[in-house]
Amino acid sequence: MTDAPAELVHLDVADGVATITLDSPHNRNALSRQLVTELVGHLTTADAATDVRVVLLRSSGRVFCSGADLSEAATTPMQEGARAIVALQRQIVAMGKPVVTVVEGAARAGGIGIVASSDVVVVAEDATFALTEVKLGLTPAVISLTVFPRMTPRGAAFTALGGEVFTGAEAAAYGLATFAVPAAELQAKVDDVVAKIATGAAQGLRETKGLLAAELLERIDSKGEELVELSARLFGSDEAREAMTAFLSRKKA
């Protein structure tokens, strides 16, 4: 396996925009301890910066985020990893700066939680998403904190119960994404969205985001630990182990 680069997440600030880029292609931007630590640090820096109006979150390659880093699963208690994803979602929701997230290619598991935590989401029409947990005897427990409230009830039910891949265009129809555009128009759309939000006054942006985020924050704080425990219980169950073993066997076949 290729060694991980020294820095997995980059922060650049220009013209009132803090661009945070996930750059861990060796594991498809999986939520490793290093990546999450760096992402949390850059989000904190951007939130505190007086010259930043908007935070733009994107990836260096087509894969936005593949979810948990399974290579660390054997050495990290399940609850610890789940709590880290809850905390990351909460941080994005609670920030005083609007967060615009861009998905060009694939987002899975915890990556979808990041998308749902964001204020505005711009995706390519052919980007892909999937809540595959149901096929593994699991449920999208901790990411449901943000994913389910963002999506239409019918969209959430179909994608979570079906576990199938859905497109960026469908993600917008279901409420997970704000805009879905052809891949060739993605950058232009992102530039337009960010420029419009950046015209807001800092106090106006902060207070408006606070109003928009209040119910979601309350949900995270009241249900987060319960869903961490649910996630750990299901992950350790015999049924989930059997389903995951069968899934891995099919992938190797």
Side-chain angles (χ1 to χ4, degrees):
M1 179 180 288
T2 305
D3 290 337
E7 184 182 69
L8 303 182
V9 186
H10 313 302
L11 171 64
D12 299 287
V13 178
D15 302 322
V17 180
T19 300
I20 298 176
T21 305
L22 307 183
D23 187 19
S24 183
H26 74 284
N27 64 357
R28 295 164 56 89
N29 288 329
L31 296 171
S32 63
R33 282 188 293 268
Q34 181 184 346
L35 184 141
V36 171
T37 299
E38 292 180 16
L39 176 55
V40 166
H42 289 324
L43 288 169
T44 301
T45 299
D47 203 23
T50 57
D51 59 337
V52 169
R53 289 284 190 274
V54 187
V55 176
L56 177 62
L57 184 56
R58 64 188 319 154
S59 62
S60 59
R62 280 184 53 81
V63 176
F64 175 70
C65 177
S66 58
D69 188 341
L70 298 181
S71 68
E72 294 182 353
T75 58
T76 303
M78 183 62 198
Q79 285 94 333
E80 182 183 319
R83 284 193 190 102
I85 294 175
V86 171
L88 178 57
Q89 292 176 101
R90 190 189 192 287
Q91 180 179 14
I92 294 170
V93 174
M95 285 178 65
K97 312 284 173 69
V99 177
V100 177
T101 290
V102 185
V103 180
E104 181 182 357
R108 299 289 187 271
I112 299 180
I114 294 173
V115 169
S117 302
S118 307
D119 301 288
V120 179
V121 179
V122 186
V123 304
E125 289 176 343
D126 61 352
T128 63
F129 303 81
L131 299 169
T132 58
E133 291 86 351
V134 68
K135 297 183 181 295
L136 302 175
L138 305 171
T139 189
V142 294
I143 65 169
S144 75
L145 289 165
T146 56
V147 173
F148 288 178
R150 296 294 194 197
M151 298 183 78
T152 65
R154 295 301 190 193
F158 177 65
T159 54
L161 294 171
E164 300 292 337
V165 173
F166 56 102
T167 66
E170 290 168 323
Y174 297 150
L176 181 62
T178 314
F179 301 105
V181 298
E185 300 171 17
L186 185 63
Q187 187 59 54
K189 184 64 176 178
V190 171
D191 291 344
D192 178 62
V193 167
V194 169
K196 286 175 177 172
I197 296 174
T199 62
Q203 177 173 278
L205 291 171
R206 182 181 65 251
E207 296 300 327
T208 303
K209 172 155 181 174
L211 289 175
L212 290 166
E215 289 185 15
L216 202 51
L217 276 178
E218 185 178 330
R219 174 180 169 87
I220 293 170
D221 289 341
S222 64
K223 294 182 175 292
E225 188 58 26
E226 169 191 335
L227 292 173
V228 165
E229 294 302 329
L230 172 62
S231 181
R233 176 170 62 79
L234 294 179
F235 201 83
S237 68
D238 291 339
E239 183 177 340
R241 276 196 290 268
E242 291 172 9
M244 283 186 273
T245 300
F247 175 76
L248 290 172
S249 298
R250 288 196 298 272
K251 284 191 74 173
K252 291 176 182 176

